[in-house]
Amino acid sequence: MRGDEGLCKIDKECHLLEKLDLCRCPHVSNKGLIAIVSNCPNSTTLSIESCPKIGNEGLQAIEKLYPKLQSISIKDCPLVGDHGVSSLLSSASSILSKVKLQGLSISDFSLAMIGHYGKSVINLMLSGLQNVSKKGFWVMGNAQGLQKCCFVSGDGLVAFAKSVGSLECLQLEECNRVTQSGVIGVLSNQIPCCL
């Protein structure tokens, strides 16, 4: 058994499943994801990576059937778009604290949804989102849903700058723990940025 058929077997036996990690599962589709999601309401963590048959329909099911979801990671799933991400965020956001989106075909709209509904998000990772613009990040940051962090330090800023690689603009407001050495650390990484 593989793919959807295998997940359908698991969902009948594992009602207490708390973490589901679907990585490189080319034979798992929305049907298999929906089957396991519908019988495992205690799940708190879901990771979907390189699953080419999982898309918006599967995420909409998660939104309705995973009331305890706290952490979601979606990477390199070409059928996942704004519709799926936004439906997931708009309802699960009351306890969803970790969101990781990588290599998806989402746009500024999804970032706006994160900014508006992400009241509980404390860990956010966005990477390889080719259809997202500066405007999307601006809207996300100004939507008043995400919590502002007053604990960003100079070391945290340098680590962030190293991880993004091609930072064009960075605006810092009310970051009282960022010192001159933190700013110099960012600049010494030869990252063109405007502070």
Side-chain angles (χ1 to χ4, degrees):
M1 271 178 282
R2 61 186 213 184
D4 291 343
E5 187 180 340
L7 280 183
C8 289
K9 291 281 187 190
I10 292 171
D11 84 314
K12 291 178 178 22
E13 303 295 328
C14 299
H15 301 288
L16 299 177
L17 185 72
E18 291 184 13
K19 295 180 182 179
L20 177 62
D21 187 346
L22 299 173
C23 183
R24 295 184 190 105
C25 300
H27 301 291
V28 173
S29 70
N30 289 323
K31 179 183 174 186
L33 180 62
I34 292 168
I36 199 161
V37 167
S38 63
N39 287 313
C40 300
N42 293 319
S43 293
T44 59
T45 303
L46 177 63
S47 180
I48 305 169
E49 180 179 338
S50 299
C51 297
K53 294 183 180 178
I54 293 178
N56 293 333
E57 183 184 344
L59 294 186
Q60 289 171 306
I62 293 166
E63 170 258 318
K64 293 178 181 120
L65 301 169
Y66 263 22
K68 297 179 181 179
L69 187 64
Q70 297 172 9
S71 175
I72 182 84
S73 175
I74 308 169
K75 180 179 181 181
D76 298 330
C77 296
L79 298 180
V80 171
D82 286 329
H83 192 67
V85 171
S86 64
S87 68
L88 179 64
L89 292 167
S90 64
S91 67
S93 60
S94 59
I95 61 169
L96 191 60
S97 60
K98 183 177 181 182
V99 177
K100 184 177 177 182
L101 305 173
Q102 293 179 274
L104 303 177
S105 297
I106 60 173
S107 71
D108 295 343
F109 181 75
S110 289
L111 295 192
M113 296 299 282
I114 293 170
H116 184 73
Y117 290 106
K119 292 175 177 51
S120 297
V121 174
I122 56 172
N123 188 331
L124 176 63
M125 198 265 209
L126 305 169
S127 174
L129 306 175
Q130 301 302 318
N131 298 326
V132 171
S133 71
K134 292 178 193 177
K135 182 179 178 185
F137 284 99
W138 183 88
V139 171
M140 181 178 69
N142 287 290
Q144 305 301 318
L146 290 173
Q147 299 298 312
K148 303 289 181 187
C149 180
C150 59
F151 300 110
V152 175
S153 67
D155 292 339
L157 181 62
V158 171
F160 169 76
K162 285 180 181 177
S163 69
V164 296
S166 63
L167 185 65
E168 292 180 9
C169 182
L170 176 64
Q171 179 178 342
L172 300 175
E173 295 179 24
E174 300 179 16
C175 296
N176 299 325
R177 297 183 64 201
V178 174
T179 62
Q180 183 178 7
S181 63
V183 174
I184 291 170
V186 170
L187 297 174
S188 69
N189 285 306
Q190 299 178 348
I191 299 171
C193 71
C194 54
L195 300 174

